[in-house]
Amino acid sequence: MHSLLSRGNSVLAYTLSVLVTLTFACFLSTILVDYRTGTEMKTLKIEVKNLPEYGVILWDKIILRGENANLRLKNMRTKYYFWDDGNGLRGNKNVTLTLSYNIIPNVGRLPIVGAIGSHTFSFPSEYTR
């Protein structure tokens, strides 16, 4: 006869095997999904300030599952401004904005997805006071 501990071990091993199989099936169902989407960006007022700041992200937002993921933002100011810490932005004629985002999966890799499309503009030759 099998002991209670031996039967519990068998049930636990079987349950974990089924869970691993289902987790792997979930991973396989999302590995080849293309999450890229089109984007359109425009700039209206461009300012550059000369202060020491090292952040490079202009705007961020967390969208939870079930929320509307279509962002239609007009007349929005950036959350983080351009700060010129080395005098390299002033007068720069080739600045490109792109949109990148993470999709947090239930299981598997954490992809950084780049949206299709970008926006190129130039910075003014004088600092904003």
Side-chain angles (χ1 to χ4, degrees), residues 51-107:
L51 293 172
E53 175 67 35
Y54 303 103
V56 296
I57 295 173
L58 297 179
W59 180 79
D60 62 357
K61 179 171 177 57
I62 297 174
I63 300 173
L64 300 176
R65 180 173 286 145
E67 289 183 14
N68 185 8
N70 292 326
L71 301 176
R72 304 219 187 281
L73 306 170
K74 289 182 100 177
N75 301 326
M76 190 198 87
R77 298 186 69 115
T78 59
K79 187 172 184 178
Y80 310 102
Y81 297 100
F82 283 115
W83 300 98
D84 194 2
D85 62 343
N87 298 327
L89 293 178
R90 181 180 61 181
N92 192 327
K93 301 296 181 198
N94 187 17
V95 179
T96 303
L97 292 179
T98 59
L99 176 66
S100 298
Y101 48 93
N102 291 97
I103 296 181
I104 300 175
N106 291 329
V107 66

Side-chain angles (χ1 to χ4, degrees), residues 8-23:
N9 185 24
S10 297
V11 169
L12 182 64
Y14 177 73
T15 303
L16 288 176
S17 298
V18 170
L19 287 176
V20 165
T21 303
L22 290 175
T23 302

